[in-house]
Amino acid sequence: MAFVPMNDLGRALSAQKVRLTAAFTEVVDSGRLVLGPQHGAFERELAEYVGVPHALGVANGTDALELAIRAAAPADRHVVVTAANCGGYAGTAARLAGYEVRYADIDPATLLLDPLHLASVLDESVAVVVVTHLYGRAADVAAVRRLTEPLGVAVVEDCAQAIGARTPQGAVGSLGDAAAFSFYPTKNLGALGDGGAVTTASDRLADRVRSLRQYGWSTKYHVTSDGGRNSRLDEAQAAFLRVRLPGVDEGNAVRRGIIGAYASAAGERVRVLEAVGDGHVGHLAVVLTDDRQGLVAHLTEHEIGSDVHYPVPDHHQPAFRDRYTDVSLPVTEEMAGQVVSVPVFPELRDDEIRRVGDALRTF
Ligand SMILES: *Cc1c(COP(=O)(O)O)cnc(C)c1O
């Protein structure tokens, strides 16, 4: 019996080999390697897909968060607020941008930022709230904006796990002041290496990000924005992403179906976080259990891969925990001990899906 992997990028790569290779050949033949025609076309196609006027390619998702925070932050404020259960990317980006990071607790039903707790940590020192659409589930950005708008706080969406998720108010990436996407290979839209993008409806924020991603230039060699850096999406990655973008919705639907199969199969000792409808793109299949060690051992015994997203809440990370000794996030802390991710990717085979479902039932 072969191992059921958490992910196997080789399956999509071999299925798409001809088209990816043709895209690469086109880049080689064009002689344009940075900010060329493929990059421009990808920015237009992504903007249209998200339903905003602007998408800006950058080097990775963490850079996208950093540049979105820098561009959207109102002046003279020093705090960024986010949830502490999302892998720490927003905190990394905020610290790089020079902000202190403050955490709000999460909702135990969705594991997303809890607007009630958020309200208790907001004040006029806060520049930006980063809302993460965790595991592929669109968060309630409108509820967050009702709290942030009266205080003049900007909202940045972290869409790294949720490309294609749609809400009645619009797709993720169109709901905040700006949004960050990652095209790390395992994301629902993956490059063949690193990549990222910022989306925004604001002409002003788009101009800011365009300048910040390239040394703070307005035009070549003229630095007009402080805080600039080099963070560009390669032409070849843009070409690969153009091959894959049209397939994102179909892949997302397959992911939702797989998680649905797990939810129907699961026994009483696990709770599968559901992924139902357009508001969830099934990036991760996450189950909750009060016996994580036991479940992981059971999965391993059945030759099924698993992982934990994420085991250490940000405020308990050794690098920062001294700054957060007085911070208590009871739901975040409890959930960090219960989450287990099981395999979900569009190329997972039916027999593999059945084996994961069976293991969730027999645990
Ligand atoms: C992957 C990820 C990021 C970071 O993206 P990189 O491209 O790896 O820098 C940010 N936020 C979330 C929620 C992610 O899953």
Side-chain angles (χ1 to χ4, degrees), residues 60-62 65 86 89 132 158 160-161 182 184 187 195 310:
N60 58 65
T62 308
L65 282 166
C86 302
Y89 308 100
T132 305
D158 182 346
Q161 301 189 356
S182 165
Y184 183 75
K187 308 295 188 191
Y310 295 92

Side-chain angles (χ1 to χ4, degrees), residues 58-306:
V58 297
N60 58 65
T62 308
D63 282 4
L65 282 166
E66 183 196 335
L67 298 187
I69 289 168
R70 282 185 191 273
D76 304 320
R77 299 187 179 205
H78 64 277
V79 175
V80 167
V81 174
T82 192
N85 69 324
C86 302
Y89 308 100
T92 300
R95 284 184 194 91
L96 279 166
Y99 291 88
E100 184 188 304
V101 182
R102 190 182 290 170
Y103 297 106
D105 213 350
I106 55 170
D107 179 333
T110 62
L111 276 65
L112 305 177
L113 201 59
D114 174 6
L116 270 180
H117 191 253
L118 175 64
S120 74
V121 305
L122 283 183
D123 57 37
E124 282 170 6
S125 67
V126 177
V128 174
V129 173
V130 178
V131 182
T132 305
H133 302 293
L134 191 67
Y135 305 148
R137 179 178 182 134
D140 188 353
V141 178
V144 170
R145 295 189 70 135
R146 280 194 289 277
L147 302 170
T148 54
E149 269 166 15
L151 293 168
V153 175
V155 174
V156 168
E157 298 171 76
D158 182 346
C159 304
Q161 301 189 356
I163 188 165
R166 296 187 177 84
T167 76
Q169 290 78 39
V172 302
S174 71
L175 307 171
D177 295 286
F181 289 83
S182 165
F183 308 121
Y184 183 75
T186 59
K187 308 295 188 191
N188 292 28
L189 174 59
L192 272 60
D194 279 308
V198 175
T199 57
T200 180
S202 156
D203 296 347
R204 185 181 62 86
L205 294 192
D207 284 343
R208 286 268 294 152
V209 172
R210 208 174 281 115
S211 169
L212 292 172
R213 77 176 170 190
Q214 192 156 240
Y215 321 116
W217 287 351
S218 50
T219 55
K220 210 171 179 185
Y221 309 135
H222 292 265
V223 180
T224 52
S225 319
D226 201 359
R229 45 178 308 189
N230 174 13
S231 181
R232 291 176 298 224
L233 175 66
D234 290 341
E235 186 75 355
Q237 298 302 346
F240 297 139
L241 290 165
R242 292 188 69 206
V243 170
R244 290 181 157 181
L245 181 60
V248 168
D249 287 343
E250 196 185 326
N252 289 350
V254 174
R255 288 168 178 271
R256 274 194 292 272
I258 294 170
I259 295 173
Y262 295 164
S264 325
E268 278 175 10
R269 291 185 60 204
V270 296
R271 169 161 82 94
V272 177
L273 287 181
E274 288 198 10
V276 177
D278 285 351
H280 204 307
V281 298
H283 175 63
L284 289 171
V286 177
V287 309
L288 300 172
T289 170
D290 53 17
D291 178 15
R292 176 157 69 200
Q293 227 183 341
L295 177 59
V296 170
H298 180 75
L299 291 166
T300 306
E301 193 186 318
H302 289 82
E303 300 202 44
I304 293 164
S306 64

